[in-house]
Amino acid sequence: MPSDQNSNDNIIEACCIEHVYPDGTRAICNLEFYVKKGECVAILGPNGAGKTTLLLHLNGILLPTKGSVIVKGIPVTKRNLPKIRKIVGMVFQNPDDQLFAPTVEQDVAFGPLCQKLPIEEVRRRVEWALKVTGLEEVRHKPPHHLSGGQKKRAAIAGVLAMRPEILVLDEPVAGLDPESKMTILGILKDLKERGGLTLVIATHDVEVAAILADRIYLMKNGSIIAEGEPRRIFSDEELLHMASLYPPKPIRIVRMLRQKGVPIPEDVVPLTDEELADLIANVVISGRR
């Protein structure tokens, strides 16, 4: 674990946590995990790696069999769950697990109403959450009439309306078409950069981590096998192979270009399409000189 694990700016700290389900399945084992305030951390790994189990410990849906989880200095225990859930908002992989009210607007309002906020404050929060997620025009629609991407945004809006400091998302773009995927990623990026939210995302989609993450935890079989910034993690082919993952497409394309003799330095690691386009443009311009 990095030396700044116990830094004062950590908003989440998990120490030696294990979780054993009632049937005896050991889902996570001896995990050390931390998140700094304001950063986006991606938990990457194949299906069954333990990513969702780890997420469920961050707001007390699950409590560790061993070890401890601390959020903003507050231990995640049964006694502290009301405090923890004001700080940590959870968006599940399947939005149908969260959406239940007759209309999108009512669904988004449900959380703030449960917090017993003044009605004007509830209205302000609902308007803000609908605007942030681009759902103002479907506010009166039943959630089950929405597209998959709209449902995901409605689930996010319902959590945002409770104004958490930490937003935890399980596979936020799973099953979405490319346009809906980019819309969700744009919303999350804006929430982090402009809204100051701390994001924790579990995914097996390396493109999501490449676009959003400041740091990555790589998981396999309930354990963390690596931690670091995205360029370092995605540059390590052997490490990714251990986790049954491929690097993001821009990195794969650069490797193919090198194999074809294009002089690209080994320390150049483009994570996004924009970075790849800039790199190719520079190579082309250099070749014309």
Side-chain angles (χ1 to χ4, degrees), residues 45-113:
N47 292 335
K51 304 185 300 295
T52 298
T53 299
L54 174 55
L55 287 193
L56 295 176
H57 283 76
L58 303 184
N59 76 339
I61 294 175
L62 292 178
L63 298 175
T65 307
K66 293 181 180 178
S68 63
V69 180
I70 298 173
V71 175
K72 277 194 78 176
I74 304 170
V76 180
T77 62
K78 288 183 179 180
R79 180 178 179 179
N80 291 333
L81 288 185
K83 295 178 183 178
I84 296 297
R85 290 174 180 169
K86 287 182 179 180
I87 301 168
V88 182
M90 178 85 183
V91 180
F92 296 99
Q93 178 175 346
N94 185 354
D96 290 326
D97 292 339
Q98 288 184 243
L99 304 174
F100 61 90
T103 69
V104 172
E105 183 177 58
Q106 288 172 296
D107 208 287
V108 175
F110 178 78
L113 287 171

Side-chain angles (χ1 to χ4, degrees), residues 1-283:
M1 182 58 62
S3 60
D4 57 355
Q5 172 187 347
N6 294 317
S7 173
N8 290 333
D9 58 355
N10 289 349
I11 196 168
I12 296 174
E13 294 181 355
C15 181
C16 302
I17 64 169
E18 296 187 7
H19 191 85
V20 180
Y21 284 105
D23 66 357
T25 300
R26 187 177 299 276
I28 55 176
C29 181
N30 200 36
L31 289 192
E32 299 278 343
F33 177 83
Y34 76 94
V35 179
K36 292 182 177 297
K37 182 177 174 59
E39 75 173 341
C40 175
V41 168
I43 306 166
L44 269 177
N47 292 335
K51 304 185 300 295
T52 298
T53 299
L54 174 55
L55 287 193
L56 295 176
H57 283 76
L58 303 184
N59 76 339
I61 294 175
L62 292 178
L63 298 175
T65 307
K66 293 181 180 178
S68 63
V69 180
I70 298 173
V71 175
K72 277 194 78 176
I74 304 170
V76 180
T77 62
K78 288 183 179 180
R79 180 178 179 179
N80 291 333
L81 288 185
K83 295 178 183 178
I84 296 297
R85 290 174 180 169
K86 287 182 179 180
I87 301 168
V88 182
M90 178 85 183
V91 180
F92 296 99
Q93 178 175 346
N94 185 354
D96 290 326
D97 292 339
Q98 288 184 243
L99 304 174
F100 61 90
T103 69
V104 172
E105 183 177 58
Q106 288 172 296
D107 208 287
V108 175
F110 178 78
L113 287 171
C114 287
Q115 292 177 325
K116 299 181 180 180
L117 298 171
I119 192 62
E120 285 304 316
E121 176 64 16
V122 172
R123 287 172 180 159
R124 281 193 293 269
R125 291 190 180 197
V126 169
E127 292 300 323
W128 172 77
L130 291 174
K131 183 177 180 180
V132 166
T133 54
L135 293 175
E136 293 163 296
E137 293 185 1
V138 298
R139 64 193 307 149
H140 299 305
K141 279 191 173 184
H144 63 274
H145 286 178
L146 302 180
S147 68
Q150 288 173 327
K151 284 183 179 180
K152 182 69 77 171
R153 283 187 277 151
I156 292 172
V159 176
L160 289 178
M162 292 185 283
R163 295 293 180 97
E165 297 179 49
I166 304 167
L167 187 62
V168 175
L169 304 104
D170 190 9
E171 299 288 0
V173 300
L176 300 184
D177 60 74
E179 182 178 358
S180 296
K181 174 178 175 178
M182 295 313 297
T183 298
I184 295 292
L185 293 182
I187 290 169
L188 296 179
K189 190 173 183 180
D190 193 61
L191 286 168
K192 175 182 177 291
E193 293 178 354
R194 298 188 185 186
L197 267 182
T198 300
L199 302 178
V200 182
I201 299 170
T203 182
H204 62 261
D205 189 322
V206 295
E207 315 291 342
V208 171
I211 291 171
L212 291 177
D214 299 306
R215 282 191 305 115
I216 290 172
Y217 283 92
L218 210 55
M219 288 191 69
K220 180 181 180 180
N221 296 331
S223 297
I224 290 171
I225 60 173
E227 178 270 339
E229 63 93 21
R231 292 185 206 279
R232 183 182 73 80
I233 296 293
F234 289 137
S235 296
D236 193 326
E237 290 186 70
E238 184 177 346
L239 193 59
L240 292 176
H241 180 71
M242 286 175 59
S244 304
L245 297 172
Y246 291 99
K249 188 178 293 182
I251 295 177
R252 301 202 304 271
I253 291 174
V254 164
R255 288 175 181 169
M256 287 187 284
L257 290 172
R258 289 194 186 107
Q259 291 170 0
K260 294 180 181 297
V262 179
I264 301 174
E266 290 293 330
D267 62 350
V268 175
V269 184
L271 294 177
T272 65
D273 291 347
E274 290 79 8
E275 291 181 1
L276 177 62
D278 289 342
L279 171 62
I280 293 174
N282 288 334
V283 170

